[in-house]
Amino acid sequence: MTMKAGPFNAMIAAAFSVEEKTVTVFARALKEARLLTTGARGVNAPDMTPLDAARMTIALLACDGPAQAVERVKLFGQLRYSPHSTTSQAWREIVGQDEFASRFGGDTLEEVLAFIYSAYLDRGLDDASRWFDENVVSLTVQPGDVRAELVAWVHDANGKIVRERVMPFQGNRHAEGFVTIPRGLLVERSAAPATLSLVSVELWADARAED
């Protein structure tokens, strides 16, 4: 069991520091496209899931407005982990497929986010807390392309960031049907490690309260 739509929208709004009415508009568009859990209202309303949280995350980060929500959630949600991406920046290291698979479940961006958001529900408080301590990552959606990245930072002895370990999700430009975003995103948007863990623990806490 997880939370109903109203508390879910409020939780997402608080976690991402946006107005609840903004989340509600995005959620309405995604529900109409059957990209979020839908059903009866009130006490019989269905529970929202980690996948719902994953798609709301994508909507808030990958859209410049609610009108883009359905298209962008479909586009970014199905991006696959791309360990063969390259980088010309020496301080950015692409995490390999085997290491990625040992740390995260799922192949697409929405599946991996749902895995992260399921951590407390699946592992319990202690194990999930340890997992988040060992997997401190942010999610960034970059302007100008259909690409998202999970990013972990490497620090030196003084706590200064000296390197980024990057886990990219992007489309194959050479594949048939590859889609680009006209003019790209307007700004880069990120979800901090604390935001990702907060959504996960809030889903768990609500489920515990219902038991």
Side-chain angles (χ1 to χ4, degrees), residues 78-87 93-97 100 106-109 112 146-149 166-173 178:
Q78 295 306 307
L79 293 179
R80 302 185 70 82
Y81 183 61
S82 308
H84 302 299
S85 299
T86 59
T87 177
E93 171 193 356
I94 304 295
V95 174
Q97 178 68 55
F100 176 82
D107 296 313
T108 64
L109 180 60
V112 173
V146 185
R147 179 184 172 99
E149 296 178 344
V166 182
M167 291 157 271
F169 295 78
Q170 64 183 34
N172 180 357
R173 287 185 170 277
F178 177 76

Side-chain angles (χ1 to χ4, degrees), residues 5 7 13 19 29 37 65 82 103 108 130 150 171 182 186 198 207 209:
E19 293 186 2
T37 301
S82 308
R103 297 171 63 184
T108 64
R130 282 192 292 270
L150 290 173
L186 296 181
L198 176 61

Side-chain angles (χ1 to χ4, degrees), residues 25-26 29-30 35 58-59 63 65-74:
V25 173
F26 275 103
L30 295 180
L35 291 172
I58 293 169
C63 299
Q68 302 166 342
V70 172
E71 174 192 12
R72 299 286 174 86
V73 167
K74 289 180 178 179

Side-chain angles (χ1 to χ4, degrees), residues 153-175:
W153 299 288
V154 179
H155 300 80
D156 65 14
N158 297 316
K160 179 182 178 181
I161 296 175
V162 295
R163 189 157 49 96
E164 288 185 350
R165 306 198 71 228
V166 182
M167 291 157 271
F169 295 78
Q170 64 183 34
N172 180 357
R173 287 185 170 277
H174 304 292

Side-chain angles (χ1 to χ4, degrees), residues 28-52:
R28 184 180 302 119
L30 295 180
K31 284 184 177 181
E32 289 175 354
R34 299 189 179 278
L35 291 172
L36 290 185
T37 301
T38 60
R41 296 179 182 271
V43 295
N44 295 319
D47 294 302
M48 307 304 286
T49 68
L51 180 59
D52 292 324

Side-chain angles (χ1 to χ4, degrees), residues 122-134:
D122 292 345
R123 298 168 181 261
L125 183 61
D126 292 339
D127 283 350
S129 295
R130 282 192 292 270
W131 186 88
F132 276 106
D133 286 342
E134 295 168 357

